[in-house]
Amino acid sequence: MTDDLARDFELVRETAREAGELALSYWGRGIREETKADGTAVTEADRAVDALFAAKLREARPDYGWLSEESAEHEARLSARRVFVLDPIDGTQSFIHAKDDWTVALSLVEDGEVILSAAVNPVRGEFYEACRGGGAFLNGRPIAVSTRDTLSGATLIVSPSHLKGSRWKRPWPEVHPVHICSMTYRLCLVASGVGDASFALPPKWEWDVAPGSLLVAEAGGVVTDASGERFRFNNKSAKVPGYLAAGPLLHPLLAERMGDAL
């Protein structure tokens, strides 16, 4: 790891930890919330965490680009080599209802690829981190994806309703769907082997996918868009075409099914 990347990794980890603590200070008590133009909820906690990220990261790295769910668009990011891509609170609905499946998620993208990630679930006391080429860790311990090689009996971190409908040309074998609100946390659970796979077919915002994608990859998994293509982040539209994350033996089996539905 180069010296500048090591400094960036320390900045990402320290800021993510501080942001997680700030979010937790709002959790479980009455907080103000509003409805954004797209119909999704935002709270005073989302905005406070976004402001902390901006103060810490943009002050420390003013030449880096910036892409956050709760910030105004900064078109200058498109010409920046390195870009912070983050979600102050991923899983806001769970946060509002004092559930524990939300995260604070932060990543650093370089030339379209994620090179650093940190994700915090402060309620469960979980801190995930990864550096490209350096492995993935949960609370300082290495993590690895599942080695499952069959769909039957697999734990899929998806909403049960996602497995229903006419889009699927073949019936699913017996699987165990688990609904998790935060998309980042879904990917964390795949990276740590708690879930065998996770996927979503509709387009997703980059801040929902970028942080967790590196965790899965560095834990030995395969993560692609829903059509099986490699991710590229910091796009003008700030969206990617869904995602599919799984262990290396299960990913091709799921990719084949995704092809049926796309």
Side-chain angles (χ1 to χ4, degrees):
M1 187 187 300
T2 61
D3 289 345
D4 72 317
L5 188 58
R7 288 191 292 269
D8 280 350
F9 198 18
E10 187 61 24
L11 175 65
V12 163
R13 287 182 292 186
E14 287 185 358
T15 307
R17 288 187 188 278
E18 187 173 346
E21 291 173 1
L22 176 60
L24 188 60
S25 72
Y26 285 88
W27 180 75
R29 64 184 180 89
I31 54 174
R32 294 190 301 275
E33 63 177 281
E34 303 170 16
T35 301
K36 295 188 286 188
D38 63 1
T40 60
V42 63
T43 72
E44 59 182 312
D46 293 89
R47 293 201 169 106
V49 174
D50 189 62
L52 183 150
F53 273 134
K56 296 286 185 178
L57 299 175
R58 300 185 72 187
E59 180 177 334
R61 303 289 187 270
D63 55 330
Y64 286 16
W66 179 262
L67 179 61
S68 166
E69 179 176 11
E70 307 305 344
S71 292
E73 176 64 67
H74 295 270
E75 294 256 333
R77 68 179 172 81
L78 298 173
S79 59
R81 187 180 182 208
R82 287 184 173 176
V83 181
F84 291 113
V85 179
L86 61 119
D87 195 339
I89 296 178
D90 184 26
T92 297
Q93 284 298 328
S94 281
F95 184 90
I96 290 170
H97 294 98
K99 297 180 180 179
D100 66 357
D101 58 336
W102 56 273
T103 53
V104 170
L106 171 62
S107 61
L108 181 62
V109 170
E110 179 182 77
D111 297 330
E113 297 187 1
V114 187
I115 58 172
L116 300 174
S117 283
V120 193
N121 182 323
V123 182
R124 296 188 181 184
E126 297 174 356
F127 184 85
Y128 298 83
E129 60 185 279
C131 177
R132 187 173 61 184
F137 299 84
L138 167 57
N139 294 342
R141 296 183 178 182
I143 53 177
V145 297
S146 161
T147 58
R148 177 175 287 278
D149 60 359
T150 60
L151 275 173
S152 181
T155 297
L156 304 182
I157 312 298
V158 297
S159 170
S161 64
H162 207 52
L163 301 178
K164 300 177 181 178
S166 59
R167 68 161 69 97
W168 305 111
K169 297 178 181 179
R170 290 172 287 174
W172 284 87
E174 183 180 354
V175 294
H176 307 294
V178 177
H179 177 67
I180 294 292
C181 187
S182 162
M183 207 165 302
T184 296
Y185 197 45
R186 298 176 200 175
L187 294 169
C188 289
L189 294 177
V190 173
S192 60
V194 174
D196 295 305
S198 181
F199 61 86
L201 295 174
K204 298 297 177 187
W205 294 106
E206 292 189 13
W207 49 73
D208 289 325
V209 179
S213 67
L214 182 66
L215 289 164
V216 173
E218 288 298 322
V222 180
V223 57
T224 62
D225 68 24
S227 64
E229 296 297 319
R230 183 177 179 179
F231 279 120
R232 180 172 180 80
F233 296 101
N234 195 29
N235 300 293
K236 185 174 183 179
S237 69
K239 282 191 173 183
V240 292
Y243 74 89
L244 169 58
L249 302 177
L250 200 58
H251 188 279
L253 303 180
L254 285 164
E256 184 181 8
R257 284 182 175 264
M258 299 301 106
D260 287 348
L262 293 173

